[in-house]
Amino acid sequence: MLRQLLEVHCPVVLFSGGEPMLRDNLFELLAEAKRLGLRTVISTNGTLIDISAAKKLAEAGVSYVGISIDGDQEFHDSFRRTRGCFKAAIRGIENCKEAGIKTGLRFTITRANAEQVPAIFDIATSVGVRRICFYHLIRAGRAKTLENQALTAEQTRRVVDLIIERTQDFVARALVDEVLTVDNHADGPYLLLTMKRQNNPRYEQAKNLLLANGGNRIGERIVCVAWHGDVYPDQFWRNYSLGSVKDKTLQTIWQSSSDPVLNRLRNKSRFADARCLKCRWFALCKGNYRFLGDEKDDRYWLNEPACYLTDEETGKEVQK
């Protein structure tokens, strides 16, 4: 199946597990991916990466390991309900770095931990990590029941403002190289609006880069293959399978013109939310378009995570 990935011209997310344990042939899979010339990365809580595991990951050609941290030590251990898991995660980071693997922090923003954002920057600095990824909560999969943990529009704006402010400070002091916000494509327009207010000279450059990226490309530029062989539009879609690589090649599944969900995702200019279609930023955002119900009926399709831009911000662009 790994050979099939070379035939699909987009990044592929491979889930090696989904149960409370790793596959016992994880390193074998990684080694085969390396042999085929595939770039591999790992997302993990970091607690099982001892010195030996870190060396094996490096030997298998893993180019990046993202380790989830939910806040400072007290909060992280409480949030994970496991005493000592913060220290174990930090040891995992240190072991990866010692093995020569690029390492970053992952943080999913919820109402419970939004106030921990400043701590994440401080932790990154303290362990010498120069990449931080902030993920907006997507209420899909096991997070489907966490509706009360999704931030309001105003709360999201405050958190993104804080991330922008901290990033500017830490970059100015040469403490970080990369700070990303992930999963909510409204972040692009919001960043541009912030840059315009600040008269940032790189506004046009940033805008052109976002336009080139093309916004939300679920079902177009990323595909997820789960551990049991089912194929999904991305790693957060677990309620709709496009097919199984046990039955068809990945290329056949991905190039299907008959699948109704892929058709909708690949034609957002026809199917996206009416507010999105009228938005001046649509070309660089494309909305966070997915369905969260058990059926793919129109009523279940929505922007998830929700857009937090105001009507004024989505209207006609004001020129300088």
Side-chain angles (χ1 to χ4, degrees):
M1 190 271 289
L2 287 175
R3 287 184 176 85
Q4 298 178 30
L5 306 186
L6 298 178
E7 302 172 353
V8 178
H9 302 294
C10 62
V12 179
V13 177
L14 276 174
F15 275 93
S16 63
E19 305 301 322
M21 62 184 74
L22 291 175
R23 290 180 63 124
D24 55 12
N25 64 341
L26 174 62
F27 295 109
E28 179 184 344
L29 289 172
L30 292 170
E32 177 65 5
K34 178 183 178 180
R35 188 183 72 80
L36 292 172
L38 295 172
R39 178 175 180 263
T40 55
V41 302
I42 296 288
S43 296
T44 173
N45 63 24
T47 59
L48 298 181
I49 304 180
D50 56 18
I51 295 174
S52 174
K55 288 181 178 178
K56 288 181 179 180
L57 290 174
E59 290 169 357
V62 171
S63 60
Y64 175 78
V65 174
I67 294 181
S68 297
I69 297 291
D70 300 302
D72 60 31
Q73 180 174 336
E74 181 180 357
F75 183 90
H76 182 90
D77 284 1
S78 174
F79 193 77
R80 299 262 165 170
R81 299 180 182 180
T82 305
R83 185 182 297 275
C85 65
F86 179 86
K87 289 184 177 179
I90 296 300
R91 283 196 298 271
I93 292 170
E94 293 170 342
N95 291 335
C96 286
K97 290 182 60 187
E98 183 66 24
I101 305 174
K102 183 179 179 180
T103 311
L105 302 187
R106 295 163 52 91
F107 179 91
T108 299
I109 308 165
T110 68
R111 291 191 186 187
N113 67 4
E115 294 183 356
Q116 291 291 318
V117 167
I120 296 301
F121 281 90
D122 294 336
I123 292 166
T125 300
S126 69
V127 295
V129 166
R130 303 187 65 83
R131 187 177 196 266
I132 309 172
C133 293
F134 291 99
Y135 287 76
H136 292 268
L137 177 67
I138 293 179
R139 294 173 295 118
R142 288 186 295 175
K144 189 174 180 180
T145 60
L146 299 179
E147 185 173 357
N148 65 343
Q149 284 299 319
L151 273 63
T152 65
E154 187 54 42
Q155 288 171 330
T156 301
R157 295 169 74 91
R158 287 200 297 268
V159 170
V160 175
D161 283 341
L162 180 56
I163 292 171
I164 292 173
E165 178 186 329
R166 285 278 170 150
T167 299
Q168 290 174 326
D169 175 37
F170 277 58
V171 167
R173 292 191 283 147
L175 297 176
V176 294
D177 296 325
E178 301 172 87
V179 177
L180 297 80
T181 61
V182 186
D183 294 330
N184 194 331
H185 287 79
D187 290 346
Y190 191 74
L191 176 62
L192 291 178
L193 289 163
T194 301
M195 294 177 75
K196 176 158 281 193
R197 286 196 302 270
Q198 297 176 347
N199 292 315
N200 192 305
R202 295 185 176 181
Y203 171 86
E204 289 296 335
Q205 181 184 9
K207 184 177 179 180
N208 290 334
L209 287 171
L210 288 168
L211 282 168
N213 186 62
N216 186 294
R217 303 303 291 271
I218 293 174
E220 297 179 75
R221 290 188 176 178
I222 186 170
V223 57
C224 167
V225 182
W227 63 92
H228 43 59
D230 278 8
V231 179
Y232 300 99
D234 80 352
Q235 66 268 42
F236 299 106
W237 279 56
R238 308 308 294 276
N239 57 335
Y240 184 80
S241 173
L242 300 170
S244 173
V245 293
K246 295 179 180 179
D247 303 322
K248 301 178 182 178
T249 66
L250 180 59
Q251 185 178 31
T252 299
I253 294 171
W254 197 242
Q255 293 181 350
S256 170
S257 59
S258 61
D259 187 272
V261 170
L262 280 181
N263 179 59
R264 193 157 183 160
L265 291 173
R266 292 171 179 174
N267 292 279
K268 294 186 180 73
S269 295
R270 290 169 50 200
F271 295 111
D273 183 85
R275 185 171 186 264
C276 286
L277 294 177
K278 295 177 182 178
C279 178
R280 63 176 161 122
W281 305 109
F282 183 69
L284 62 80
C285 175
K286 297 292 180 69
N288 303 311
Y289 198 49
R290 66 183 75 236
F291 68 91
L292 295 185
D294 296 325
E295 304 294 337
K296 53 185 180 292
D297 298 342
D298 287 350
R299 59 194 169 121
Y300 291 119
W301 283 86
L302 47 80
N303 288 339
E304 174 68 24
C307 176
Y308 56 91
L309 301 181
T310 66
D311 290 342
E312 182 181 5
E313 289 169 337
T314 62
K316 185 177 180 180
E317 184 169 5
V318 178
Q319 299 298 323
K320 288 186 177 180

